[in-house]
Amino acid sequence: MRFILAVLAILAFTISPATAKPILTVYTYDSFTADWGPGPAIKKSFEATCDCTLKWVAIADGVALLNRLKLEGTSTNADVVLGLDTNLVVEAKATGLFEEAGIIAPTSKISGHWSDKTFIAYDYAPFAVIWDRQKMKNPPTSLKELVEGPADQKIILQDPRTSTPGLGFLIWMKTVYGDKAGLAWEKLSKRILTVTPGWSEAYGLFTKGEAPMVLSYVTSPAYHMIVEKTDRYAATKFSEGHYLQIEVAGLIKNSKNKELAQKFLKFMVSSGFQDHIPTKNWMFPVGKTTKPLPDEFSKLISPDKLLLRKAQTVAKNRKAWIAEWLKATSK
């Protein structure tokens, strides 16, 4: 009997690994994997097609995601990284951790703004200042009005060192103000209630009523209209234009599941993934969806001008721009 049990134990040990489903590890940001985010639905949808297990690893925000990868280097467990944006791709490529995705991205409204063989776009939206109709009557209608507005009407921002929205707003300020950005930050600092590590913390404080304004996206009010049935929160349209965020995903060169990772990236631009972007990630999809956007999306503001700096320009100047921000806001 002991002999039989020993044989069964050996067989179980040798057979189980071979029959176990492969695990695809995808690094992303925390709001993507939240219960209300697209992560759970995408996981279920992809696992139905891949005979695998999709494992999310959630990190605070996009810049923190890149920082994590730099620390881990070639020892990273990630197969795919989802949640960087075009402002970070040059630095991401410089790590040597990524390789070409091996897929063709679909034609979309942002094709003229972004096309790359390594980092594939999966959603996009312009940044915007979201305001609370119950907390203020006249929101700023330009970046200039935001910068020079009353100090008692506060805004919550995100840290450009850890957050892609925070970095996006930093570049937005630099694009509009140029060499005078430092002075503009000094003026704006009087209106900043706090700076959070990531988007989730900032938006949570905003909806708790801590401040009448927060940096987010033009698409954010759609969530409140669709889920909460309220138009209390709205985006304000800026005359100078709005900075555009394009979120991307990439394949890790040392992935042990490269074929599966490529399958996920192809799935990412299909309707099985894209269907969950508008009403789960609250962004615009880059690929085809099985249904048109909800009617509430037609009520969102439409910027007259979209701003987007070249990725190489951002990579060259990011540290200097952050230093300028730190110096101006610490006075």
Side-chain angles (χ1 to χ4, degrees):
M1 179 61 74
R2 290 181 179 178
F3 173 76
I4 294 174
L5 291 174
V7 171
L8 290 174
I10 293 172
L11 286 173
F13 178 78
T14 56
I15 293 174
S16 295
T19 58
K21 291 182 178 181
I23 298 174
L24 181 72
T25 302
V26 180
Y27 283 15
T28 188
Y29 46 84
D30 56 10
S31 63
F32 196 90
T33 63
D35 292 340
W36 47 266
I42 288 171
K43 173 180 168 68
K44 182 179 179 181
S45 183
F46 182 65
E47 288 180 346
T49 70
C50 71
D51 192 30
C52 70
T53 298
L54 173 57
K55 178 183 177 183
W56 299 117
V57 175
I59 297 161
D61 212 322
V63 183
L65 189 58
L66 179 57
N67 293 339
R68 167 81 171 263
L69 286 172
K70 288 179 178 180
L71 287 173
E72 292 181 345
T74 55
S75 65
T76 183
N77 292 319
D79 296 303
V80 171
V81 175
L82 183 152
L84 304 178
D85 70 8
T86 55
N87 294 318
L88 298 172
V89 295
V90 171
E91 288 186 52
K93 286 182 180 180
T95 66
L97 297 175
F98 293 89
E99 69 175 44
E100 291 187 6
I103 70 169
I104 299 175
T107 301
S108 70
K109 291 182 178 179
I110 61 162
S111 296
H113 295 286
W114 180 253
S115 178
D116 192 76
K117 293 181 179 180
T118 302
F119 290 99
I120 309 301
Y122 64 90
D123 70 14
Y124 69 97
F127 292 115
V129 170
I130 307 300
W131 62 289
D132 184 344
R133 297 182 193 272
Q134 294 183 10
K135 296 285 185 179
M136 64 189 306
K137 294 182 180 180
N138 300 304
T141 59
S142 67
L143 198 58
K144 184 177 186 295
E145 285 186 10
L146 176 68
V147 167
E148 299 177 1
D152 61 330
Q153 294 184 338
K154 302 293 186 181
I155 185 170
I156 300 170
L157 298 176
Q158 299 88 10
D159 193 323
R161 296 168 296 183
T162 54
S163 164
T164 53
L167 178 60
F169 188 73
L170 180 85
I171 302 169
W172 192 357
M173 288 279 285
K174 194 66 181 179
T175 301
V176 171
Y177 281 97
D179 293 340
K180 297 180 180 179
L183 293 174
W185 274 115
E186 285 185 36
K187 293 180 181 179
L188 181 59
S189 64
K190 298 173 183 177
R191 300 191 77 174
I192 300 173
L193 176 70
T194 189
V195 176
T196 64
W199 176 89
S200 296
E201 302 96 324
Y203 211 79
L205 290 172
F206 169 69
T207 55
K208 289 178 181 178
E210 295 297 319
M213 295 181 289
V214 67
L215 174 69
S216 193
Y217 301 87
V218 300
T219 46
S220 297
Y223 166 81
H224 301 287
M225 288 187 280
I226 294 171
V227 177
E228 298 177 344
K229 310 300 180 185
T230 181
D231 62 356
R232 174 177 173 177
Y233 306 105
T236 178
K237 188 174 178 179
F238 280 4
S239 59
E240 302 97 339
H242 290 242
Y243 197 81
L244 177 65
Q245 182 179 55
I246 302 171
E247 295 192 296
V248 299
L251 170 66
I252 293 294
K253 184 184 297 184
N254 290 342
S255 168
K256 297 177 182 178
N257 299 290
K258 195 165 293 186
E259 186 175 339
L260 186 58
Q262 289 172 320
K263 183 174 183 179
F264 176 81
L265 290 169
K266 290 179 182 178
F267 173 80
M268 184 185 74
V269 294
S270 73
S271 60
F273 184 107
Q274 293 289 305
D275 277 348
H276 303 294
I277 292 300
T279 57
K280 291 289 186 179
N281 213 36
W282 304 101
M283 300 282 276
F284 292 113
V286 300
K288 292 182 179 180
T289 57
T290 57
K291 296 180 181 180
L293 291 175
D295 291 340
E296 288 82 358
F297 274 71
S298 65
K299 300 176 183 178
L300 302 174
I301 66 166
S302 180
D304 293 330
K305 183 179 180 181
L306 293 178
L307 308 173
L308 186 66
R309 302 295 289 267
K310 292 182 179 180
Q312 293 84 354
T313 301
V314 175
K316 181 180 179 181
N317 295 284
R318 185 163 78 97
K319 290 183 179 179
W321 292 346
I322 288 175
E324 179 182 56
W325 162 74
L326 280 171
K327 181 180 179 180
T329 55
S330 62
K331 290 183 178 180

